[in-house]
Amino acid sequence: MSSSMSLGKSSRAPMTSLTDEKDIKAAFSLCFMKHVVLDSEKEIQKLEDTKRKSVGHIRVYPNPETKPRALQIEKQEEDTVNVAQGLSRKQQPQQGPKRKEVHTEEQEAMNVAQGAKPQQGLFYGDYTPPYLPPVPSLHKLIEICSEPFEKQLTSSDVRDDQSRLAMSKEDVQKHLMPLLNENEDLHEGIDVMTYDLDGKEYPMKFKTWVSKIHVLTGGWKAFCHDHKLVQIQHFVTVWMFRNIATGNLCFVIEVRRLPVFETIKRRRIRQN
């Protein structure tokens, strides 16, 4: 009795929840009956009834204020995020049905600016280069840039008496020709500055020979020697861009060496 009175005089806040009072009474009853010797079916049934009643009062949230408080905290956090995003509490973001991703010119420009990877074309060794050449120091000079393409070097590409990089008609027409101005004539040749991935400069000439072969010549020989290029195993990735300061055409060439010993047929993506 004394412990009950001391409990009543405790400084704790009074329990106002009827459910809490029933839970406490049920707990005291079970604790008391734990020391009672049951010798009749009537007493056993009484214990089972008490257990059912007490268990029936127990809920996932013993304190009724717990769940609403948690929801209120989540609501406050959501409001904080909305305000940080420039939305008032009354302007809650609405989630509509998901739409198909649409590639617009603006999105493509963002992809280029972010160095995104091209969506078309397969490169040797499942390699996909970025839209922009991976030379950060050149990015501020790029007004417009072609999509990259790749070529496996042949014996004539690395021979000193040839001194040119031959590029396929398909690659030139698809990737490079759209960047040419009306006054730029490939038959006469266009002076271009070519860079490697270290930013080293190689003055070259971009032109079409009488045999209708599109080539980079001039400084290509020095480029070959500096990078020790060999046929078959070396692959070059080519970008062309227009310099925003001078208006001149420039090339960037990336070199990769793969453990291959024969010419690889170029793979293509079927256009739907």
Side-chain angles (χ1 to χ4, degrees):
M1 177 66 70
S2 60
S3 64
S4 300
M5 292 181 64
S6 61
L7 180 63
K9 296 180 180 180
S10 174
S11 60
R12 295 180 181 178
M15 296 183 181
T16 58
S17 172
L18 181 60
T19 302
D20 290 343
E21 293 179 1
K22 290 182 178 180
D23 290 344
I24 293 173
K25 289 180 180 179
F28 274 116
S29 298
L30 290 175
C31 290
F32 172 76
M33 296 188 69
K34 182 172 68 173
H35 301 284
V36 175
V37 177
L38 302 178
D39 55 0
S40 68
E41 294 183 1
K42 184 176 180 180
E43 291 177 341
I44 294 175
Q45 186 62 41
K46 182 179 179 181
L47 175 61
E48 291 297 331
D49 293 341
T50 304
K51 285 175 60 179
R52 278 198 301 271
K53 291 180 180 180
S54 61
V55 172
H57 289 307
I58 296 175
R59 303 189 306 169
V60 177
Y61 299 97
N63 184 352
E65 296 181 358
T66 302
K67 186 171 182 179
R69 178 176 175 79
L71 292 176
Q72 182 65 26
I73 293 174
E74 293 177 1
K75 178 68 165 53
Q76 293 174 355
E77 291 177 350
E78 182 180 358
D79 288 343
T80 302
V81 172
N82 290 334
V83 171
Q85 294 176 348
L87 300 174
S88 65
R89 287 191 173 90
K90 295 182 180 180
Q91 294 175 324
Q92 299 297 326
Q94 297 180 355
Q95 295 183 352
K98 292 184 178 180
R99 297 181 298 176
K100 286 187 176 181
E101 184 177 358
V102 179
H103 293 281
T104 62
E105 293 182 0
E106 182 180 357
Q107 182 63 44
E108 291 297 331
M110 291 177 60
N111 290 339
V112 172
Q114 295 171 358
K117 295 184 176 181
Q119 299 296 320
Q120 297 180 353
L122 288 175
F123 290 74
Y124 300 103
D126 292 328
Y127 164 69
T128 305
Y131 269 115
L132 295 181
V135 186
S137 61
L138 296 179
H139 289 179
K140 60 184 178 181
L141 301 178
I142 297 176
E143 178 183 5
I144 185 172
C145 186
S146 70
E147 286 192 9
F149 61 90
E150 188 171 45
K151 182 193 177 181
Q152 182 181 21
L153 296 184
T154 64
S155 59
S156 62
D157 290 322
V158 297
R159 283 170 51 180
D160 284 347
D161 60 343
Q162 294 283 346
S163 298
R164 91 289 186 277
L165 171 66
M167 297 172 285
S168 72
K169 179 180 179 181
E170 178 186 1
D171 285 331
V172 170
Q173 289 184 342
K174 179 179 179 181
H175 301 293
L176 307 185
M177 295 294 285
L179 273 67
L180 299 186
N181 293 332
E182 293 181 356
N183 61 341
E184 293 173 328
D185 189 347
L186 284 179
H187 294 287
E188 293 182 1
I190 304 171
D191 292 326
V192 297
M193 183 60 70
T194 301
Y195 301 87
D196 64 11
L197 293 194
D198 293 326
K200 185 175 180 179
E201 298 179 347
Y202 297 86
M204 298 188 191
K205 187 176 287 288
F206 176 33
K207 68 180 304 181
T208 301
W209 282 352
V210 177
S211 56
K212 297 184 179 180
I213 297 177
H214 305 285
V215 298
L216 276 176
T217 187
W220 172 251
K221 182 177 181 179
F223 188 97
C224 280
H225 288 176
D226 287 351
H227 296 85
K228 299 178 172 57
L229 301 184
V230 298
Q231 63 181 359
I232 306 299
Q233 292 189 334
H234 270 120
F235 297 76
V236 293
T237 304
V238 179
W239 292 262
M240 187 177 79
F241 69 91
R242 190 168 293 279
N243 188 308
I244 193 172
T246 65
N248 297 332
L249 290 176
C250 303
F251 281 79
V252 177
I253 299 178
E254 178 185 22
V255 175
R256 299 190 302 133
R257 186 165 186 168
L258 302 181
V260 296
F261 303 96
E262 60 184 9
T263 302
I264 299 176
K265 290 185 177 181
R266 190 165 185 172
R267 296 172 294 173
R268 307 180 190 279
I269 292 180
R270 180 180 299 175
Q271 299 295 332
N272 295 328

